[in-house]
Amino acid sequence: MPVTDRADLDTVLGKAVTILRAFRPDDRVVSLAELVRRTGLHKATVHRLSGDLVANRLLDRADGGYRPSRGLFELGMLASVERSLLELAMPFLQDLYERTHETVHLGVREGHDVVYVAKIGGHRQARAPSRTGGRMPLHCTAIGKALLAYAAPDLRREVLTGPLERRTPHTVVVPSILRGQLRRVTETGVAFEAEESAVGLVCVAAPVLGRGDEPLAAISVAGPTGRFRPEGHVAAVRAAAAALGSTLTRRDLLR
Amino acid sequence: MPVTDRADLDTVLGKAVTILRAFRPDDRVVSLAELVRRTGLHKATVHRLSGDLVANRLLDRADGGYRPSRGLFELGMLASVERSLLELAMPFLQDLYERTHETVHLGVREGHDVVYVAKIGGHRQARAPSRTGGRMPLHCTAIGKALLAYAAPDLRREVLTGPLERRTPHTVVVPSILRGQLRRVTETGVAFEAEESAVGLVCVAAPVLGRGDEPLAAISVAGPTGRFRPEGHVAAVRAAAAALGSTLTRRDLLR
DNA sequence: CACAGCGTATCGCTGAACGAGACGATGTGC
DNA sequence: GCACATCGTCTCGTTCAGCGATACGCTGTG
């Protein structure tokens, strides 16, 4: 029921963007027919526009279909805000990784989702569904809870009253419980997640606070259930987030 | 004289892409007038299309202009080849960083350029002009030389006979000298760069070889002139590249 | 005050984009 | 073997989205 940010389908540009967004992170190639199905556009239109997108180097032809190209990757990296945030954050994420040797995430809020700006991990990387540039609902991830706990009350209310999508059997879908968790986050400065977004994954996160009201981002450390003890990394995550926060404040990263 | 991949300016899509590509990595916001100047398109056209791009969440309005948005970043991350390469490579890049604590790059070839797919660094990061998603000419970077030395003879000839752009006083612009360097690269398995792309920056790289002829990518370690001794990292870079190469081969990263 | 540069808005004209539909190739079940 | 479905590609007449010349108002600036 969200006012889906659906692109304007009456304009060429809108259709092209719709086609691009029809690709999902995990498919290698998508056939013309599949694109038609996903977008709901006319076959001839998708055929023609896909051809144009290839000509403009936003898509590649491959086997029996299309896939997003390197040119699209390059374009995406022009997003200045993400890039400068990423570049400033990288040293701190590296430190954190080196201290923990677990999967480290950096995420920002967009609507009711968290968008992962960076994900770094080593060989024994947890099987996390997160991807750089990917999305997850706020309410079922540690990063999301960290962002939500420190966000504007209006936003928090919105999320708490809206439907809380169940991702795993452990996802917290009861508003009152979630509210309690968020209160604890503001008390302790860290947020936890226990297999709420993906089975087998636990996580601890801390918000990156700037001068403004809304947190600028959040940092998390994730690992597999069992071996990984999130409590053991509280100090490290908190320190990394705080250090990044004061750096960003000093550099005055504008909204 | 390269058949510049200039987008088709007779189509809406081509113009839109042209506008997007008019943004440079380092500008925060770009005014309408500046976009008009850079693209050569009509003022009214840029005005209208920029509006459409904002409506489709590929651009943001900011202060007195536009800038690439988070939506564009997300789209870019759909590029599957880059993403899967990046995800498989990350652990090895992390190891390399941890061993060296210097700036680590992963790059692939695109035309006569290297495109950086990843860049990780710590606090004492070298002041490198490289950026994730950015480009550099092949002939003046360590990664580029590594890719070039192992590339198809045709490509090597093309680059060597074409103009060799001078980036710094140290850029190698004499074909015969460059050819000699490339020969040494194939003999030793590593490529060097000494302030050839940016003053104050030295670099050592090794190719990531797969089953095919063309190298899949290259890995480099970079640091500031003076303190940083590239020779000291030869073994580490070579090891990382080899390990990644065999992993990619095993996983059969196609094309 | 004159002028230049900017963002925005208007408005007829025209050709790019549209989508119904045809067509050939391939695959699949009977 | 045939009937049928699915797919990618292409054609073609219609029409409306996109076009750009032009105008306007709002800055600064000499």
Side-chain angles (χ1 to χ4, degrees):
Chain A
M1 235 105 317
V3 183
T4 26
D5 37 39
R6 86 170 32 264
D8 184 359
L9 289 188
D10 288 344
T11 183
V12 206
L13 203 56
K15 289 176 203 174
V17 172
T18 302
I19 291 177
L20 289 178
R21 290 207 225 271
F23 288 86
R24 316 233 177 89
D26 10 49
D27 31 42
R28 301 191 67 81
V29 297
V30 180
S31 69
L32 177 63
E34 179 61 20
L35 285 176
V36 170
R37 243 172 272 122
R38 293 187 190 177
T39 58
L41 296 173
H42 191 279
K43 183 170 41 161
T45 304
V46 178
H47 182 252
R48 182 166 16 89
L49 282 184
S50 299
D52 288 353
L53 286 169
V54 170
N56 285 295
R57 307 216 348 259
L58 300 189
L59 289 182
D60 281 341
R61 297 203 101 99
D63 312 322
Y66 303 89
R67 71 167 168 223
S69 76
R70 193 163 290 161
L72 192 62
F73 174 77
E74 291 181 53
L75 267 191
M77 279 303 165
L78 290 174
S80 53
V81 179
E82 269 60 35
R83 241 221 6 265
S84 58
L85 170 62
L86 183 54
E87 283 172 6
L88 290 172
M90 190 57 87
F92 298 101
L93 301 180
Q94 288 300 329
D95 290 351
L96 185 55
Y97 170 76
E98 220 160 328
R99 284 177 66 176
T100 62
H101 284 103
E102 301 288 354
T103 304
V104 172
H105 291 112
L106 174 71
V108 297
R109 183 182 72 81
E110 172 112 345
H112 291 188
D113 292 331
V114 39
V115 173
Y116 293 103
V117 175
K119 172 185 184 177
I120 67 183
H123 295 285
R124 54 176 204 176
Q125 203 159 147
R127 205 83 217 96
S130 58
R131 294 174 177 281
T132 304
R135 283 171 177 260
M136 278 284 178
L138 285 175
H139 71 278
C140 67
T141 61
I143 285 197
K145 290 183 196 174
L147 292 171
L148 204 49
Y150 287 85
D154 291 7
L155 175 72
R156 202 158 41 245
R157 199 172 312 122
E158 250 178 68
V159 172
L160 283 167
T161 56
L164 298 173
E165 187 197 346
R166 154 152 273 137
R167 284 297 180 106
T168 77
H170 302 93
T171 307
V172 177
V173 293
V174 182
S176 61
I177 298 181
L178 186 56
R179 182 176 294 113
Q181 288 190 348
L182 294 180
R183 196 171 313 120
R184 294 220 40 184
V185 172
T186 53
E187 288 164 14
T188 60
V190 286
F192 292 96
E193 174 210 336
E195 301 194 302
E196 296 159 44
S197 66
V199 173
L201 191 77
V202 291
C203 199
V204 51
V208 177
L209 303 173
R211 232 192 289 277
D213 302 332
E214 171 113 1
L216 300 171
I219 294 178
S220 79
V221 176
T225 318
R227 167 172 71 68
F228 182 76
R229 301 252 78 99
E231 306 80 16
H233 300 295
V234 165
V237 177
R238 203 150 33 185
L244 176 55
S246 65
T247 296
L248 292 181
T249 304
R250 208 173 313 122
R251 298 293 201 96
D252 232 4
L253 189 80
L254 312 173
R255 88 130 256 103
Chain B
M1 233 105 313
V3 183
T4 27
D5 37 41
R6 82 171 37 260
D8 184 359
L9 289 188
D10 287 344
T11 183
V12 206
L13 204 57
K15 289 177 203 175
V17 173
T18 302
I19 291 177
L20 290 178
R21 290 207 224 273
F23 288 86
R24 315 231 177 90
D26 12 48
D27 32 41
R28 302 191 66 81
V29 297
V30 179
S31 69
L32 179 63
E34 178 62 18
L35 285 176
V36 171
R37 243 172 272 122
R38 292 187 190 177
T39 59
L41 295 172
H42 192 279
K43 183 170 45 160
T45 303
V46 178
H47 182 251
R48 181 167 17 91
L49 281 184
S50 299
D52 289 353
L53 287 168
V54 170
N56 285 295
R57 308 218 346 261
L58 300 189
L59 289 183
D60 281 341
R61 297 203 100 97
D63 313 320
Y66 304 89
R67 69 167 169 222
S69 77
R70 194 163 290 162
L72 193 61
F73 175 77
E74 291 181 54
L75 267 192
M77 279 303 164
L78 290 174
S80 53
V81 180
E82 267 61 34
R83 241 222 4 267
S84 58
L85 170 62
L86 183 54
E87 283 172 7
L88 291 171
M90 190 58 87
F92 300 100
L93 301 181
Q94 287 300 327
D95 289 352
L96 185 55
Y97 170 76
E98 220 160 326
R99 284 177 67 178
T100 62
H101 285 102
E102 301 288 352
T103 304
V104 173
H105 291 111
L106 175 71
V108 296
R109 184 182 71 82
E110 171 111 345
H112 291 187
D113 292 331
V114 39
V115 173
Y116 293 103
V117 174
K119 172 186 182 175
I120 68 184
H123 295 285
R124 56 175 201 174
Q125 202 160 148
R127 203 83 218 96
S130 58
R131 296 174 176 280
T132 303
R135 283 170 177 260
M136 278 284 178
L138 286 175
H139 71 278
C140 67
T141 62
I143 286 198
K145 290 183 197 174
L147 293 171
L148 204 49
Y150 287 84
D154 291 7
L155 175 72
R156 201 159 41 247
R157 199 171 312 123
E158 250 178 69
V159 172
L160 283 168
T161 56
L164 298 172
E165 188 197 346
R166 154 152 273 136
R167 283 297 180 107
T168 76
H170 303 91
T171 307
V172 177
V173 293
V174 181
S176 61
I177 299 181
L178 185 57
R179 182 176 294 114
Q181 289 190 348
L182 294 180
R183 196 171 312 121
R184 293 222 40 184
V185 172
T186 53
E187 288 164 15
T188 60
V190 286
F192 291 97
E193 174 211 336
E195 301 194 301
E196 295 159 44
S197 66
V199 174
L201 190 77
V202 292
C203 198
V204 51
V208 178
L209 303 173
R211 230 191 289 277
D213 303 332
E214 172 113 0
L216 301 170
I219 295 178
S220 78
V221 176
T225 318
R227 165 173 72 67
F228 182 76
R229 302 252 77 99
E231 305 80 17
H233 301 295
V234 165
V237 177
R238 203 150 35 184
L244 176 55
S246 65
T247 297
L248 292 181
T249 304
R250 208 173 312 122
R251 298 293 201 96
D252 233 5
L253 189 80
L254 311 175
R255 98 135 260 99

